[in-house]
Amino acid sequence: MDEFYQPFESEPKEPQKPKKTKNSPLLTIMLVFFSLMFVFCLVVVLGKLKDAHNEKENYDALSEIAGMSDEDKQLLEDQAKEKERIAHLVELHDMNPDFAGWLTIPDTNINYPVMCTPNDVEYYLHRDFYGEKAAGGVPFLGGGCTSFSSSIIAHGHHMRNGTMFADLMKYMKKDFWETHPTVYYSTLEQNGAYEVVAALNYDATVSEDPKAFNIYRYAGDLTEEEFNAFMNYVMSHKIYDTGVTAEYGDRLLTLSTCAYHTENGRFLVVARQKAAPAEETAK
C-alpha cells in the first residue's frame, strides 16, 4: 500500500490561564484577624521584654547604690564592711522611705530591695522601687511586721522570666541548700545573715475556720507560744532536714512565693538569724 495511516492532529490549543478563585468573606476575615493577633502578640512580647530589661537595669543601679553588686556579695559577712554597707542602705531609704532592707541570695537573681507599707501591704505588688507600674513589683514585707520584728515574712512574685523570687524554688532541692545555706537580709540597723532552717510547700487557701493554721499570722513580735506553734508547723512540713533548728528568741525570716502544687500554693523558705561573732557581741 502506498498510503500510510496518519493520526489525526488537532490544532494546538492556546494555554489557558487558571481560573481565579474568589476567597470567601469568612476566610478573608479570618486571615485579617489572625494577622492582627500575630502583630498584637508580637507587640506584647516585645513590650514585656523591654519592661523586663528596664526593670533589670533599675535594680542593677539600685544594687550598686546598696553596695550589693556581684563583687560586694562575696563580702556579705565581712564585719568591717557593715557600717559602710548600712550607710549605702540609708541612701536608698532617703530615696524612698518605704525601703526596709536589702535581700540577697548568692548565685541567684534574688538581689532586691524589700519594701514596707503597713497601711497598704500590697502597694508594691505591681510597682517598682520608684512607685511606677511594674509587673514584677518589688519584694515587700507582709502584714503585721517590719524589719525590726522578730518574725519577718517577705513576699515576692514567681516570675516566668526568672526574676523576683523565682529562684527561691531552687531550695526545693537539698543539694542547692547544701551549697547555699545562708540568705542575707540587711537593714538600716544591721547586716543580717540568716541560715536556712527549712523549705516547705504551703496551701494559702483561706479557711473559714478561725482556728485553722495560717502561717502568715505568725509575723511580727511573737510570743513564745506563737513562736513554738509556728516552728512546730514548719518542722513537721519541711521537705528535707537541714539539721538547723530555731529557739524562742531567735529572729526569723520567711520568704514566700507562689508555687503550683495546688491552686493557692506557696513555697516558703524559713531561716533564722545567725549569731554575731563573739568579738562583735562583746563590744
Side-chain angles (χ1 to χ4, degrees), residues 98 115-124 140-146:
D98 292 338
M115 315 305 282
C116 181
T117 50
N119 295 327
D120 186 0
V121 175
E122 295 186 350
Y123 180 82
Y124 286 95
F140 60 91
L141 297 184
C145 67
T146 68

Side-chain angles (χ1 to χ4, degrees), residues 19-39:
K19 293 182 180 180
K20 292 183 178 180
T21 58
K22 294 183 178 180
N23 291 332
S24 68
L26 179 60
L27 180 59
T28 302
I29 292 172
M30 290 180 65
L31 288 172
V32 172
F33 173 76
F34 286 115
S35 297
L36 291 174
M37 283 296 295
F38 174 78
V39 173

Side-chain angles (χ1 to χ4, degrees), residues 59-72 88 102:
Y59 289 120
D60 285 347
L62 291 172
S63 70
E64 291 287 343
I65 296 172
M68 294 293 181
S69 61
D70 289 339
E71 302 80 30
D72 299 315
H88 289 311
W102 194 278

Side-chain angles (χ1 to χ4, degrees), residues 164-181:
M164 293 300 134
F165 277 10
D167 278 351
L168 197 65
M169 302 302 296
K170 291 182 177 181
Y171 280 103
M172 284 284 292
K173 296 183 178 180
K174 187 174 183 179
D175 58 357
F176 182 80
W177 161 76
E178 289 173 341
T179 54
H180 301 81

Side-chain angles (χ1 to χ4, degrees), residues 66-68 72 75 81-89 191:
M68 294 293 181
D72 299 315
L75 303 172
K81 292 279 186 178
E82 182 168 25
K83 290 184 179 179
E84 178 183 342
R85 188 167 292 113
I86 289 176
H88 289 311
L89 299 186
N191 292 322

Side-chain angles (χ1 to χ4, degrees), residues 103-134:
L103 178 68
T104 298
I105 301 179
D107 301 323
T108 73
N109 287 324
I110 300 175
N111 188 36
Y112 296 110
V114 177
M115 315 305 282
C116 181
T117 50
N119 295 327
D120 186 0
V121 175
E122 295 186 350
Y123 180 82
Y124 286 95
L125 187 67
H126 295 298
R127 290 183 173 91
D128 65 14
F129 179 84
Y130 303 99
E132 300 296 328
K133 184 179 178 181

Side-chain angles (χ1 to χ4, degrees), residues 197-216:
V197 174
L200 61 148
N201 288 311
Y202 178 69
D203 185 349
T205 302
V206 177
S207 173
E208 295 181 359
D209 182 359
K211 295 183 179 179
F213 187 87
N214 183 343
I215 206 164
Y216 296 118

